[in-house]
Amino acid sequence: MAELTIYDSQGNRYTDGDGAPAEVSTRIENFFFGGVRVYMKTGSKTELVVFFRARQTKSGRAEQYFALYRSDTVSQLFTRFKEDLRRRVEDEYDMSLQTTSDDVELFAKLDSGAKPVPGTDDEHRTLSALLEEGQSLRVGTRDADSALALLYKYVQDGAGEIAIAENTQISDLEGCDLTIELGHDEDFVPLGETESRVAQRLTGSSAGTTETQPSRPRATGSETEPESSTLGSAARWGAIAVGSVLVLGLLALVAINGAAVAGVGVPAGLNPVVVADGHTSSPADDESLADADGDADEPTLEAVTIDGTESHSLTSNGEFVDSVSVTVGDDQLLALAGESNQEQVAFRLVDDSGDVLVQDSRVAGGSFNAHLTELSNGDLTLTIAVGDDVESDDVNGDWVTIREEVTVTVDGVESTD
């Protein structure tokens, strides 16, 4: 169950004459003066605070508001939040949301799906390690897309309390694990003490040294116990033992494969990972090799969204949803976007009579997007397939490594009759 409360820029709860007692939030007022655009705290109940604008008449001025959203689950949080807010503001308050000004760009793009994360892998590994130690971090970024990319990443990677603001150095954000400051010239830059911590770790790493700092429990939804030096020592010896086993295993695999290539027989049960013709022998062996060297990634299809007049995520907690409802706008199309590490993505849209409305493909190898046209109202079956063939758009072909189907209920398509 979700709760939605609206405040004006002075922190006054918006009542619209509903008879509720007057309520003033000094935190919301401070958020306004600090230019906070998004604040999120996860735990037993997730709290989301977002700045937005709305006007009471079409010709009236767009006033500034904050929405406080509390939910028992993070599943499709941003999509559910925007749908509930639109319902409250437009249907109940008879106002209209304004999404064109620069200060509401974050609100407009909040549920727009995965974006490229700015910064280097080394910088992000360092930030994650610092977060794990319980340190509060502050970084700067240029624009809304970069800020949201960092939000999406670190909400899932150790930041239980995170904020995006024009001024992150306000008292109400002091408890945040990560604050993201807008308005910088670079897409990603550590700020203040975070800059020196990251630089020190990276310098130490490049010099071949390992820096150890005391850890403290993090304020997250789950409790962890601090590691003792004894446990740390045991873990190191365990890692050495595991590493030795892996080295011996890899040497054995090399010997087996060498024998196979040379035409020498090997004992039953010791099948080579790669035989002389270059084909893999078994999935289990492939997975062992992939785990050992980290080069063979599992196929992925994630962060997929489909946009009508509302944005809808087709994935939730790494799983595809069964169905979504969308209303197309004046452009009479659905915009589909997502990410995959495969080389090709193909789409097929079929109506309830089995007629194929759309069949298309795109080169992926990262992010992809497509505009689906030739639509009809009603329940449509959308199939998305990814694989390693850059020639085919057949979603049922042998080249496919992942295939997903979602029922899309479409409304707003204008008849051509």
Side-chain angles (χ1 to χ4, degrees):
M1 182 176 179
E3 304 171 9
L4 176 63
T5 308
I6 309 297
Y7 294 89
D8 66 18
S9 58
Q10 283 75 48
N12 301 307
R13 179 180 176 273
Y14 190 86
T15 62
D16 192 37
D18 60 5
E23 177 186 335
V24 178
S25 171
T26 56
R27 182 181 67 151
I28 295 295
E29 184 178 16
N30 291 338
F31 275 7
F32 172 74
F33 288 110
V36 175
R37 297 295 175 248
V38 178
Y39 167 89
M40 185 175 176
K41 183 176 182 179
T42 58
S44 58
K45 186 179 282 290
T46 297
E47 181 178 86
L48 179 67
V49 180
V50 180
F51 173 84
F52 72 98
R53 284 180 177 268
R55 52 169 56 96
Q56 295 187 353
T57 63
K58 290 183 178 181
S59 59
R61 176 187 176 187
E63 302 294 341
Q64 302 171 93
Y65 299 95
F66 281 91
L68 169 60
Y69 194 67
R70 292 190 174 100
S71 174
D72 294 329
T73 175
V74 296
S75 175
Q76 293 185 289
L77 178 70
F78 300 135
T79 297
R80 290 188 292 108
F81 160 69
K82 290 187 70 173
E83 289 175 347
D84 289 350
L85 180 65
R86 186 176 296 277
R87 189 178 303 112
R88 174 73 63 84
V89 170
E90 297 187 347
D91 296 345
E92 297 182 24
Y93 294 167
D94 197 26
M95 300 165 63
S96 60
L97 292 170
Q98 192 265 348
T99 58
T100 57
S101 59
D102 291 342
D103 58 359
V104 293
E105 185 178 8
L106 276 160
F107 164 73
K109 294 182 174 181
L110 188 60
D111 59 344
S112 57
K115 306 175 187 304
V117 180
T120 67
D121 290 343
D122 285 341
E123 287 172 323
H124 290 301
R125 277 191 291 268
T126 302
L127 286 184
S128 295
L130 292 171
L131 283 172
E132 186 64 28
E133 294 171 7
Q135 300 194 38
S136 296
L137 305 178
R138 177 171 161 253
V139 300
T141 191
R142 185 194 310 269
D143 53 29
D145 285 338
S146 297
L148 286 174
L150 293 168
L151 173 72
Y152 298 155
K153 174 177 174 59
Y154 284 103
V155 160
Q156 303 179 58
D157 193 19
E161 190 173 359
I162 188 168
I164 302 173
E166 293 178 350
N167 175 19
T168 58
Q169 294 182 293
I170 60 174
S171 60
D172 291 86
L173 298 182
E174 287 179 354
C176 285
D177 299 314
L178 175 67
T179 51
I180 304 165
E181 191 168 278
L182 298 166
H184 289 263
D185 293 333
E186 302 176 52
D187 289 332
F188 176 80
V189 55
L191 301 175
E193 293 183 2
T194 303
E195 180 182 13
S196 59
R197 291 171 185 165
V198 170
Q200 184 178 14
R201 293 293 179 91
L202 292 178
T203 302
S205 175
S206 63
T209 61
T210 302
E211 180 181 359
T212 303
Q213 292 191 5
S215 62
R216 61 180 175 86
R218 293 184 52 74
T220 63
S222 61
E223 296 182 358
T224 58
E225 296 182 1
E227 297 179 359
S228 67
S229 59
T230 302
L231 289 176
S233 177
R236 286 193 293 274
W237 281 110
I240 293 171
V242 172
S244 299
V245 172
L246 287 175
V247 169
L248 290 174
L250 285 173
L251 289 174
L253 288 173
V254 170
I256 293 169
N257 281 280
V261 172
V264 178
V266 296
L270 296 181
N271 294 324
V273 175
V274 181
V275 296
D277 63 359
H279 293 293
T280 57
S281 61
S282 71
D285 289 334
D286 290 344
E287 290 171 3
S288 299
L289 184 60
D291 291 340
D293 63 18
D295 290 334
D297 293 331
E298 290 293 324
T300 62
L301 175 60
E302 56 192 4
V304 184
T305 59
I306 185 168
D307 300 352
T309 55
E310 293 279 356
S311 294
H312 296 270
S313 176
L314 296 189
T315 57
S316 174
N317 295 326
E319 299 291 334
F320 268 74
V321 300
D322 294 328
S323 61
V324 294
S325 298
V326 293
T327 302
V328 300
D330 295 338
D331 50 16
Q332 295 290 287
L333 58 81
L334 296 175
L336 186 70
E339 290 189 344
S340 177
N341 63 0
Q342 299 295 277
E343 290 302 315
Q344 178 86 345
V345 57
F347 324 100
R348 179 178 293 171
L349 200 62
V350 180
D351 63 18
D352 55 6
S353 64
D355 293 333
V356 176
L357 304 179
V358 178
Q359 182 160 313
D360 198 3
S361 62
R362 293 287 188 277
V363 175
S367 60
F368 61 85
N369 59 77
H371 292 154
L372 308 184
T373 58
E374 305 298 326
L375 307 175
S376 66
N377 293 318
D379 292 341
L380 309 180
T381 300
L382 172 64
T383 303
I384 308 173
V386 296
D388 55 6
D389 187 343
V390 295
E391 301 293 334
S392 178
D393 61 2
D394 179 7
V395 297
N396 295 315
D398 293 338
W399 65 279
V400 174
T401 56
I402 296 178
R403 182 185 299 104
E404 298 290 349
E405 285 191 359
V406 177
T407 298
V408 182
T409 303
V410 176
D411 185 36
V413 177
E414 297 176 359
S415 173
T416 57
D417 295 338

